[in-house]
Amino acid sequence: MKQKHYVIGNWKLYLDREKSIEHAIAIEKNKSIVSSDALEIVVCPSHVNLDKISGINKSVSLGAQDCGFENSGAHTGQVSPDDLVSIGCEYVIIGHSERRYQLGETDDVINRKIIAALKSGLVPIVCFGETFEANEKGISGEFVKNQIKSAFEGVSLEDNQRVIVAYEPVWAIYPSKHVVTTQHVHEMVEIIHKTCSPVLGGAYSYCVVYGGSVTGENVANFIDLPGINGVLPGHASTDSSEFAKIIAIVNDML
Ligand code: PEP
């Protein structure tokens, strides 16, 4: 069985409510933006817009950009994974570098969020990636290995559970002007598989996608690499024609 591919659009905080709705309508009208057995398309709007976008986007799947680690209780501002499921989310991004470095989200919090998301039936899209400094020091592999080990500590996937592992070098995320080479991504993806496979189990329990300034211009370079099953564009996914271009290229390569 061939493993499924993914195009996951992380809208971040680029689109306000009105623009999110416009974008969702444009996506829904474009008949080439449709999930299939081979390619799953996921859109991840901001939390407050999820409910609304869930009602508009029927031909693609819905993901949240984060979740809390509990479903109820004294946890001000947290978002219940169960509630995300009840409004139509199937996926949730966890451990994005913008949460790690802008908000100080720790490995322990990320681990708890992964466990909570799985328990609620969400597929966690867990982000890993070295900082600019770690890359400069030549310790990218060690850096990401440690992140992965902490994130999945105590996680053991049941038969119906899976995880998407996103390799996102922090220094290559838009608006950074640093360009990652496909050789670097290739080497890192090999390390990621070697680290994830004993922890997460067989080839069908997880897959690896790449994120970091993915556009219609460069997406083919990443999809072409062994061990990569999709992409996670951020900025480029907020433009409906660029998003459609990325999807068309990935579809052509499957
Ligand atoms: C992201 O941070 O998820 C991302 C990959 O963003 P961008 O494509 O904008 O670099």
Side-chain angles (χ1 to χ4, degrees), residues 19-229:
K19 290 205 177 82
S20 296
I21 293 169
E22 270 171 30
H23 189 42
I25 292 171
I27 286 175
E28 202 55 28
K29 278 192 182 152
N30 187 331
K31 297 293 168 226
S32 65
I33 306 184
V34 183
S35 286
S36 67
D37 287 346
L39 179 66
E40 179 116 9
I41 301 161
V42 185
V43 294
C44 304
S46 65
H47 275 144
V48 288
N49 294 316
L50 275 169
D51 213 355
K52 185 76 187 168
I53 304 307
S54 176
I56 299 171
N57 280 141
K58 301 294 177 198
S59 43
V60 299
S61 301
L62 191 68
Q65 296 179 16
D66 179 47
C67 68
F69 47 67
E70 295 288 350
N71 279 310
S72 68
H75 305 290
T76 305
Q78 291 216 37
V79 174
S80 145
D82 277 355
D83 280 351
L84 291 176
V85 172
S86 72
I87 60 165
C89 285
E90 292 174 69
Y91 297 85
V92 59
I93 297 173
I94 296 177
H96 193 283
S97 59
E98 285 150 15
R99 297 195 61 87
R100 291 178 192 259
Y101 303 116
Q102 292 173 10
L103 300 171
E105 197 161 287
T106 62
D107 286 336
D108 174 56
V109 165
I110 290 163
N111 175 257
R112 291 174 71 186
K113 288 182 175 186
I114 294 169
I115 292 169
L118 285 167
K119 206 166 155 199
S120 297
L122 290 162
V123 176
I125 302 163
V126 192
C127 301
F128 302 103
E130 76 279 11
T131 57
F132 178 79
E133 293 74 24
N135 188 47
E136 287 291 290
K137 282 190 202 154
I139 55 162
S140 303
E142 273 315 297
F143 191 98
V144 169
K145 262 197 234 171
N146 289 335
Q147 282 185 326
I148 293 174
K149 284 181 184 155
S150 311
F152 294 128
E153 198 176 323
V155 172
S156 81
L157 296 179
E158 289 168 19
D159 282 352
N160 61 342
Q161 293 178 323
R162 69 208 154 89
V163 165
I164 298 176
V165 172
Y167 172 52
E168 300 206 315
V170 180
W171 50 278
I173 290 177
Y174 181 90
S176 164
K177 296 275 178 276
H178 296 287
V179 178
V180 69
T181 62
T182 47
Q183 181 59 27
H184 180 81
V185 177
H186 175 57
E187 284 166 16
M188 290 300 293
V189 168
E190 272 194 345
I191 293 171
I192 289 169
H193 275 289
K194 275 190 191 135
T195 316
C196 284
S197 158
V199 179
L200 297 176
Y204 293 102
S205 54
Y206 80 96
C207 70
V208 178
V209 300
Y210 172 75
S213 298
V214 172
T215 62
E217 290 304 305
N218 62 23
V219 64
N221 303 337
F222 302 115
I223 294 293
D224 226 10
L225 292 172
I228 288 198
N229 278 81

